[in-house]
Amino acid sequence: MTRRVRRKVAKKGKDDAVSLSYLEIEVEDLGLERNGDVDWTSLPDDTVIQLFFCLNYRDRASLSSTCKTWRVLGASQCLWSSLDLRAHKFDTATATSLASRCVYLQKLRFRGAESADAIIHLQAKNLREISGDYCRKITDATLSVIVARHEALESLQLGPDFCERITGDAIKAVALCCPKLKKLWLSGIKDVYADAINALAKHCPNLVDVGFLDCLNVDEAALENVSSVRFLSVAGTSNMKWDVVSQLWHKLPKLIGLDVSRTDIGLAAISRLLSSSLSLKVLCALNCPVLEEETSISTTKTNGKLLLALFSDIFRELSSLLAETSNKGRNVFLDWTCSKNKDKNLNEIMTWLEWILSHTLLRTAESNPQGLDNFWLKQGAALLLSLMQSSQVDVQERAATGLATFVVIDDENASIDRGRAEAVMRDGGIRLLLNLAKSWHEGLQSEAAKALANLSVNANVAKAVAEEGGINILAALARSMNRLVAEEAAGGLWNLSVGEEHKAAIAEAGGVKALVDLIFKWSSGGDGVLERAAGALANLAADDKCSMEVAIAGGVHALVMLARNCKFEGVQEQAARALANLASHGDSNSNNAAVGQEAGALEALVQLTRSPHEGVRQEAAGALWNLSFDDRNREAIAAAGGVEALVTLAQSCSNASPGLQERAAGALWGLSVSEANSIAIGREGGVAPLIALARSDTEDVHETAAGALWNLAFNHSNALRIVEEGGVPALVHLCSSSLSKMARFMAALALAYMFDGSRIDEFAPMSSSSESTSKSVSLDGARRMALKHIEAFIRTFSNPQAFAAAAASSAPAALAQVTEKARIQEAGHLRCSGAEIGRFVSMLRNSSSILKACAAFALLQFTIPGGRHAVHHASLMQGGGAARVLRAAAAAATSPIEAKIFARIVLRNLEHHHQVEPSI
C-alpha cells in the first residue's frame, strides 16, 4: 500500500510567482531510492522551497549557491516576504546585497540605529510592517526618510526600549507619508503633542491600533480626534490627566480595547470609562498602584465590560469572551486559537489582548516591583505560559523573555526566585520552552534558551530540563550561526554545568566541542557569547573526565587566546577560572603541564593579576596557584614576572574578598616551593602582606597564608623577616586559635623552622637596618613564645591513655589508636621536597624536646599510608637515612614521650611502604 502524505507545495502562477497550495502526492513519486544515497538535486521544486522555508537566511543563501536551480528557487517570493535581521549585522552594504530579493518584502524586523539607516537601501517599496528595537539612537530624520520611502506601510512599531531622539515631528511625518497606516506603536517618546496626533487623525483614516507606551507626555484631548481607533494603549505613560481622559475618551466611537497598565490611573477614571463608553469592551489596568490601593474596588460595576487588573481573575475574565465557556482553564488563548470561531471582532480583541498582556507582563517583570509575588505565583506565570502558545511569534517571544526575566531577583549574583521557577516547571513550562527552542524561528530559539538558562539556576528545574532532553537541544543551539541563539544556549549549558550530574551528559551531547568552537567563531565582537562559553567550560573543566574533553577539543588554546586578547572583564574572569580548573587535576591528567606550555598562557595570567577587576585578579591568581604545582610551570611563572605581580597583589588585597586573599596567598605558597622563588618573594616584600593575611578571619585564608609562611621560613633570611615584621604573634595566634587544623599545623611548622637552630641569631646582624632596629626584635622572647605554642598544639593531638598503652606495648592496635588521634586528614595532600624532609629529620636531633616532638609529628603526617604523597616521602626518607635517626629518637631516654611514640609510628609507616627492614 502506498503511504500518502499531505504537504504544502508551490505552484507557479502568473508572472512565474510562486504561491503556496496543498496537494496530496505519493512518496514514490518523488523519484528517490529507498536505499542508498539521496540525490538532493532531484527533489521537486515545492519540496526544496519547503526546505528553504525552514532555514534561516544565512543557510538559505548557502544552499542557494549550490546550483543554478536552487539559486532560482532560493529567490522565490514566498521565502522573502519577511525578514528578521535582529541577530545580524545589517548595514548599507548588506542591504544593497539583499535588495534584489526584497522586491516583495512585506515584513521587516531590525535592531539598532545602524540597521534603521540601512532600511531604505533594501528598496522594498512594498513593505507593510516595520518593527524595530534598541531604538534609542534613531532620530527624527532617519524615521522620516524610512516612512517617506515606504508609503504602503500599514504597521510601525518601535520599542519597547525608549525612542529618546524621536519627537512629535517624526510622528507628523509618519502621518503624512503613510496614509494606509493601521497600527502605530511607539515607546518612550518625550512629548506626543496635539499637532502630531491631529495629523494622524487627519491623514490616517484606517488607523485602528495606537500605542504610546512609556511616554513622558501625551496630549489626551487630541486623542479624542482619532475617531478610527479601536485599540488604544498608553501603558506606562506618565503625566496623564485622567480627569480629561475620563471626560473625552468615552466619546471615541469605535474604541473596543483600552490599556492603561502601569500608570497612576485611579478608580474614578476607571469607573467613568466603564460606565460611559458605549463601544468599550476590555479595559486592561494591570499593575496600577493607585487603583489597587482603592478599598472600594471590589464593588465597582463593570457594566458587562472586562476589567483586567491584578486583583481580578484574569483567566475567568478572558474565558467570558469566548462563546464556548465550558473550558475555563488556563489555556484560554490556545483554546481560542484552536476554536472554529469566525467572529472577526473577537479575533481582533484576542489578538490585541495577547499583544498588550505579553508587553505589560514583560515590562512588569523587568521593573520587578515589590509586592507582586502572589500575582506571579497564582496568575502571572500561568499567563506567560499561556501566551507562549500564541499563534503570534512576537507574542511567544515576549512571553518567553518574560519567563526569563520574572524569575530573576538579583542580576549580579544570578539569584532567582525558587517559588516562581518551580511554578513554571509545575505548569509544564519546561516542555513548552523546549518546544519553542526547537522552532525554526531564531528569535524564539534565543528567548526560549534564555528562559531555560535562567530557570536552570534552580537545581530542581535544571534536573527537569535535563530529563526532558534539554541538554541535547541546548548543545545543538550552541552550534547555531546566529550569535544571539548561540549565546543564550551557551548560557543554558553554563548554568546546567553547575550540577555535577549534568557534566557528563553535556560532554556526551557534544557540548564541549560546541562551546570551544563558539570561542573561535566569535573571538571578536561577541563578549556575551564568549563569557558564557568560557563559564560553561570552566564548570566542565572542574570534572576530571570533562577536563580531558575540553583539552582534546582545543579548549586550552581557545581559553588562553581569550586570556591574552579579550579586554572584557567577564570573559577574562571566566577564561582564567577555566584555566585554573583545567590545571587542578595534576595527579590525574596532563592538563596542568599543557596549559603551562601553551604559548603566552602564563604571561597572560600574570598580567591579569593586575586587572582593575577583583574577579579577574582572583581567578588569575587561582590559575597561577594550580599551575605552580608543576615544577616547570613554577619557574616559568617566576620568569614571567609572577613573583613581583603576586606580591603586589597580596599587598593590595588586605580589604579584598576572602576568595582573592586565599588565591593570592595560595599562588605565593605554590611559587615558594622553589627556594629561589622563596628568596625572591622575601626580597620583593612578600612577608608583610602574608602576615597580614594570616590575621584574616577566614579559615581558607589562614591555610594559604600559613602554608606560604611555612615555605618562606625555610630560608633563614626570610625567617628573620617574619620575626621582624611581627609574624611570630600572627603565627602563634593561628597555631592556637584557627578553626582549621591545617592552618594550625603549618603555622606550627613555620615556627619550628624559624627556631630550630642558632643560625637565625648568626644571620640577624647581617640583616640589621634602621628599620629592624626600630622594631627592637627580641629573638629570645619570640623563641619562647613560639615553642610554648608549638608544644600546646602538639598536645591537642595527644591522648595520654593511648600514649601510655603505646609506650608499654608495640602492638599495632596501640600505635593505630595514637595515629587516629594525631592524624590531620588534609596534611596527606602536602608534598615535601628532599630538603624539607631532611630538615625535619635533622630536627629530631635538636636539643629542644618540643622541636623533636614537632618533627616527629610532621613526619607522621607525611607518611601515613593512604596519603597522596606518602610513598614519595617514604622514598626520600629512605634515601636520606632517616630510619637510623628515627630509631635513635624512639629509643632516647631524653626524648619526650610524644617524640618517641610518633617516631615509632613513622618507622611503622616506612615499613608499610617497604622502605626499611622491620625493627620494632
Side-chain angles (χ1 to χ4, degrees), residues 148-167:
R149 299 289 184 89
H150 303 96
E151 296 179 358
L153 204 62
E154 297 178 359
S155 174
L156 175 63
Q157 303 165 54
L158 300 179
D161 47 310
F162 294 177
C163 303
E164 297 175 344
R165 301 177 66 179
I166 293 177
T167 70

Side-chain angles (χ1 to χ4, degrees), residues 870-910:
V871 174
H872 165 71
H873 294 148
S875 176
L876 292 175
M877 293 176 70
Q878 170 63 16
R884 182 174 63 257
V885 180
L886 285 164
R887 293 190 187 97
T894 57
S895 293
I897 188 169
E898 292 89 356
K900 291 181 178 181
I901 301 302
F902 291 152
R904 290 171 61 188
I905 294 172
V906 175
L907 284 167
R908 289 194 65 88
N909 291 344
L910 295 181

Side-chain angles (χ1 to χ4, degrees), residues 400-401 404-405 445-455 488-489:
T401 308
T405 306
Q445 293 174 357
S446 173
E447 299 309 315
K450 180 191 297 181
L452 289 166
N454 288 355
L455 289 163
E488 300 302 345

Side-chain angles (χ1 to χ4, degrees), residues 794 797-822 844 849 852-861 863-864 885-910 920:
I794 292 172
F797 294 90
S798 304
N799 184 323
Q801 292 180 340
F803 268 52
S809 169
S810 298
L815 295 178
Q817 188 177 1
V818 174
T819 302
E820 188 62 31
K821 170 67 177 176
L844 290 171
S849 60
K852 284 181 180 179
C854 182
F857 181 77
L859 292 171
L860 180 151
Q861 304 300 330
T863 59
I864 291 178
V885 180
L886 285 164
R887 293 190 187 97
T894 57
S895 293
I897 188 169
E898 292 89 356
K900 291 181 178 181
I901 301 302
F902 291 152
R904 290 171 61 188
I905 294 172
V906 175
L907 284 167
R908 289 194 65 88
N909 291 344
L910 295 181
I920 55 174

Side-chain angles (χ1 to χ4, degrees), residues 41-91:
T41 60
S42 68
L43 290 173
D45 290 355
D46 63 282
T47 304
V48 175
I49 289 177
Q50 285 301 301
L51 290 174
F52 276 119
F53 193 75
C54 294
L55 300 175
N56 59 45
Y57 314 113
R58 181 185 291 103
D59 291 340
R60 289 179 192 175
S62 296
L63 280 182
S64 296
S65 65
T66 57
C67 65
K68 182 177 180 180
T69 301
W70 281 23
R71 188 178 303 115
V72 173
L73 292 174
S76 299
Q77 172 186 342
C78 63
L79 296 176
W80 295 94
S81 62
S82 174
L83 268 181
D84 184 351
L85 298 168
R86 290 174 297 168
H88 308 282
K89 179 176 175 59
F90 179 61
D91 53 17

